[in-house]
Amino acid sequence: MKLQPVILAGGTGSRLWPLSREQYPKQLISLTGDDSLLQTTLKRVAELPDSLPPIVVVGEEHRFLTKNQIEELSIFPEFHLLLEPVGRNTAPAIGGAAFYAKKMIGQEDVVLLVLPADHLIAKPLAFADSVARAMQLAQAGRLVTFGITPDHPETGYGYILRGEDDQVAEFVEKPDLSTAQEYVASGRYFWNSGMFAFSSDALLAEMDLYSPEIISKMAAAVEKGKRDGDFFRFDIEAMTSCPSDSIDYAVMERTAKASVVEADMGWSDIGSWLALWEVADKDTRGNVVSGDVMLEDVENSLIRAGDTLVAAVGLKDTMI
C-alpha cells in the first residue's frame, strides 16, 4: 500500500505573534534554519519510501505563498494543493483530502500520513522509523496516532493512554501540573502530537459511522469542487455548511480501532516563544539568536533581529 502524505497548512497565524501574522502564518516562516516549517515538513516526507506526491491543504489566502515555497524546494515534480474556502478544523480537511485522493487522483486504498505543516521534528530517522511502524498498523485497518514520549510534565498538551497491543485506552485533555507529573511518571502516557496514519478506506468508514454529516458535506465539496490552475478548490457551499470539528473529537476518541505508536523524534509544535527557545540551538550562555545581534552579559534569552541591529546588555531570561 502506498503512502499518501497529507500536509495540513491551514494555520491562521495566531501563534508566535508578532512574527507570525494572519497573512504570514507560522508554517510559512523560517524559525530554526533557512527553510520554513512547511518546507522542512515536505523535505521530511520526501525521504519516506513509497511516498506519493503530497497533498497540501491550505486556506485561500495563503495559496500562492504556499505554492511558491513548495516550488522553491524543487523536489516534487507533482503535488496537489487543496484550497479551503473556509476553515472547518482538521476533520473536514482530512476527510476532504481522503475523498480527493480516491476520486480526483484515482488512487486505490492508500495510507494517509497526516502531518501539521508547522511542527518541528529534530530526529528525522526516528520519525521515519515511527512512520514505518504506523504503516504496518494502518495496513491492518487501525487508525494510528503518534504519541510523543514526554520528557517533562507538560500541561499544554493533551495526552494519550496506551493500552494493550498499542491500542489507545484513552485520550485525555490538557491536565494540571500534578496530574501531568503522574502521567509522565507512569510511563504509559504520551503527548498527543496531532499526527496520524490510516488507510483512506478505514478512515472514511469510521468517519461515516461517527461523523456522517462531515463525510457527506466533504464528499459534496470534492464532487462539486473545481480546479483553478494549479489549485483544487473545495466547493464553498458544501464546505460552509460542513460541521467544524477536529479529527480527535470526530473520530479518534470514538473509534474502537485507534492505536498509538510511541515516537521519540524530538517533536515540538512550537506553540510559543518559550517552546522555540527550548528546541533551538543555543550559544554557551543559553541564548538563541537570529539576525544582526550583539550581546554583552546576556543569558538564557531569545533575540531575533529583522532589518535593524539589536544590541543587548545585561539581560537574563528575556525575549526581544
Side-chain angles (χ1 to χ4, degrees):
M1 200 179 293
K2 294 285 188 178
L3 183 70
Q4 175 62 71
V6 176
I7 313 299
L8 304 180
T12 58
S14 60
R15 306 173 98 178
L16 295 185
W17 186 91
L19 188 63
S20 174
R21 304 180 303 280
E22 184 174 340
Q23 295 302 317
Y24 208 67
K26 183 178 69 169
Q27 67 269 17
L28 300 177
I29 296 172
S30 302
L31 292 176
T32 59
D34 295 331
D35 294 322
S36 71
L37 293 174
L38 169 66
Q39 289 173 321
T40 58
T41 301
L42 289 164
K43 282 185 173 181
R44 200 179 303 125
V45 301
E47 298 296 322
L48 297 173
D50 294 322
S51 181
L52 295 165
I55 294 173
V56 182
V57 185
V58 66
E60 288 260 4
E61 63 274 22
H62 304 134
R63 63 190 185 277
F64 294 116
L65 283 170
T66 299
K67 176 176 178 290
N68 289 342
Q69 288 201 358
I70 298 173
E71 292 176 338
E72 283 174 6
L73 295 176
S74 299
I75 57 177
F76 296 109
E78 181 185 0
F79 55 89
H80 307 275
L81 279 167
L82 310 188
L83 302 186
E84 296 179 297
V86 291
R88 283 294 180 263
N89 214 317
T90 55
I94 296 168
F99 277 121
Y100 178 87
K102 294 186 79 65
K103 296 187 177 182
M104 305 305 294
I105 308 177
Q107 297 289 3
E108 297 181 1
D109 197 15
V110 292
V111 172
L112 304 174
L113 176 64
V114 178
L115 304 173
D118 58 354
H119 288 184
L120 178 70
I121 292 174
K123 303 176 184 178
L125 293 179
F127 166 76
D129 288 342
S130 298
V131 170
R133 285 184 281 126
M135 279 278 291
Q136 293 179 342
L137 289 168
Q139 288 171 340
R142 305 296 296 180
L143 275 60
V144 184
T145 182
F146 292 78
I148 304 301
T149 308
D151 56 13
H152 65 277
E154 174 62 54
T155 60
Y157 299 146
Y159 283 72
I160 300 167
L161 173 61
R162 180 171 60 185
E164 295 182 1
D165 299 324
D166 292 327
Q167 295 185 46
V168 173
E170 184 182 10
F171 286 91
V172 185
E173 294 296 328
K174 298 174 183 177
D176 57 30
L177 180 58
S178 62
T179 304
Q181 290 171 335
E182 293 176 4
Y183 289 168
V184 174
S186 75
R188 297 181 60 206
Y189 286 84
F190 303 95
W191 291 336
N192 188 352
S193 68
M195 303 186 299
F196 307 94
F198 25 61
S199 80
S200 55
D201 285 350
L203 171 71
L204 293 174
E206 293 298 284
M207 287 191 75
D208 190 42
L209 181 62
Y210 295 107
S211 299
E213 189 174 1
I214 292 178
I215 279 292
S216 64
K217 294 297 184 182
M218 291 313 298
V222 173
E223 290 284 359
K224 299 178 182 178
K226 292 183 172 57
R227 188 159 298 282
D228 179 7
D230 295 320
F231 308 101
F232 179 86
R233 183 176 282 104
F234 291 129
D235 178 70
I236 187 169
E237 182 179 350
M239 196 159 189
T240 300
S241 61
C242 181
S244 177
D245 207 352
S246 71
I247 195 68
D248 284 316
Y249 291 135
V251 179
M252 297 302 294
E253 295 185 10
R254 300 178 178 185
T255 181
K257 297 182 177 181
S259 293
V260 59
V261 164
E262 180 178 357
D264 184 6
M265 59 178 71
W267 171 91
S268 173
D269 72 347
I270 317 184
S272 67
W273 288 107
L274 176 59
L276 177 59
W277 176 85
E278 289 173 342
V279 300
D281 293 333
K282 302 174 182 63
D283 65 18
T284 56
R285 303 195 68 180
N287 299 305
V288 175
V289 174
S290 176
D292 193 4
V293 176
M294 296 178 61
L295 304 181
E296 180 67 34
D297 190 27
V298 176
E299 296 181 10
N300 298 330
S301 296
L302 186 149
I303 302 171
R304 293 180 66 94
D307 300 325
T308 305
L309 167 68
V310 174
V313 181
L315 299 178
K316 184 178 180 180
D317 301 332
T318 303
M319 184 192 79
I320 301 176

